[in-house]
Amino acid sequence: MKKAKANIKGILIADQDGTFVTRRIPEVQLEFGGIRGDRHFGVTCAADSRQPMYPKGTEILNRRQITVVSVEDCEEIAEELGVPHVLPEWLGANLLVQGFPELTKLTLGSRIMFPSGAGLICMGENLPCIFPGEEIQKHFPEYPKLAARFVRAGYKRRGIVCAVERPGGISEGEEVQILMNDYMNPMQ
């Protein structure tokens, strides 16, 4: 298993009713299920359009407890869209890391390990959708068609979704270890 390091530049929570947009917090205690109070918290969740193999509303394992993006991916999305910046809050991120530009390419089973012993397991790429694009558009109304353009700009750059494999505390500024799963998906 290959190893790399990155730094936590932001911890975020989506605790406001009706929105995926997150806000920054300095530290958090990860639990099985994610971040208590976050809109994606839970060991299980209801199936939706992302799991068409199950009837909508069926209880399934929550693979989307934590969303992780990189500073580098946010910068690339902004460059592709031609806007000054894209904030992780607008992407619904829970964790912002810097120093590992290939974050979105992490394979299923890769891990992010924290100094406390807490660990996340990568459950796959967070596929882009129009909602973050609509949020970006709100902040840059002078730039045309950002909502639709985000889907293309965010492809292979919107980060990953993870599940909490081991609970523990995490704080902004900490260095994390990334353990890359050597398994490569033959379908990619």
Side-chain angles (χ1 to χ4, degrees), residues 13-14 28-45 60-67 94 119-121 123 162-168:
I13 184 170
V28 75
Q29 184 72 26
L30 294 177
E31 301 179 29
F32 287 121
I35 299 172
R36 186 165 297 279
D38 186 82
R39 75 185 308 243
H40 289 293
F41 179 80
V43 174
T44 63
C45 66
I60 60 171
L61 178 68
N62 182 6
R63 298 170 37 115
R64 191 183 183 87
Q65 297 171 8
I66 304 289
T67 299
N94 296 114
L120 298 177
I121 185 164
M123 302 302 272
C162 296
V164 175
E165 189 170 48
R166 183 168 187 259

Side-chain angles (χ1 to χ4, degrees), residues 158-171:
R158 192 176 172 206
I160 57 173
V161 293
C162 296
V164 175
E165 189 170 48
R166 183 168 187 259
I170 64 172
S171 299

Side-chain angles (χ1 to χ4, degrees), residues 13 44 75-76 96 110 133 137 165 179:
I13 184 170
T44 63
E75 289 170 349
E76 285 186 28
L96 176 67
S110 295
Q137 186 72 71
E165 189 170 48
L179 307 174

Side-chain angles (χ1 to χ4, degrees), residues 114-184:
F114 301 88
S116 69
L120 298 177
I121 185 164
C122 177
M123 302 302 272
E125 178 184 354
N126 191 11
L127 297 174
C129 63
I130 198 164
F131 300 119
E134 290 172 347
E135 187 64 29
I136 295 166
Q137 186 72 71
K138 288 179 193 175
H139 296 276
F140 300 108
E142 68 277 18
Y143 293 85
K145 301 181 182 176
L146 291 178
R149 291 176 46 223
F150 170 76
V151 175
R152 183 169 179 263
Y155 185 68
K156 299 285 183 192
R157 295 184 184 123
R158 192 176 172 206
I160 57 173
V161 293
C162 296
V164 175
E165 189 170 48
R166 183 168 187 259
I170 64 172
S171 299
E172 190 174 320
E174 290 181 331
E175 184 176 81
V176 297
Q177 188 172 57
I178 298 171
L179 307 174
M180 294 167 266
N181 189 357
D182 293 332
Y183 169 77
M184 296 303 292

Side-chain angles (χ1 to χ4, degrees), residues 59-133:
E59 184 179 28
I60 60 171
L61 178 68
N62 182 6
R63 298 170 37 115
R64 191 183 183 87
Q65 297 171 8
I66 304 289
T67 299
V68 186
V69 299
S70 72
V71 168
E72 294 85 355
D73 280 339
C74 288
E75 289 170 349
E76 285 186 28
I77 292 169
E79 185 177 324
E80 173 94 13
L81 292 174
V83 297
H85 59 275
V86 169
L87 297 181
E89 291 91 329
W90 305 340
L91 303 180
N94 296 114
L95 189 63
L96 176 67
V97 299
Q98 184 174 32
F100 189 72
E102 301 296 312
L103 179 77
T104 302
K105 295 179 183 170
L106 279 178
T107 56
L108 183 69
S110 295
R111 288 167 169 84
I112 300 175
M113 306 301 295
F114 301 88
S116 69
L120 298 177
I121 185 164
C122 177
M123 302 302 272
E125 178 184 354
N126 191 11
L127 297 174
C129 63
I130 198 164
F131 300 119

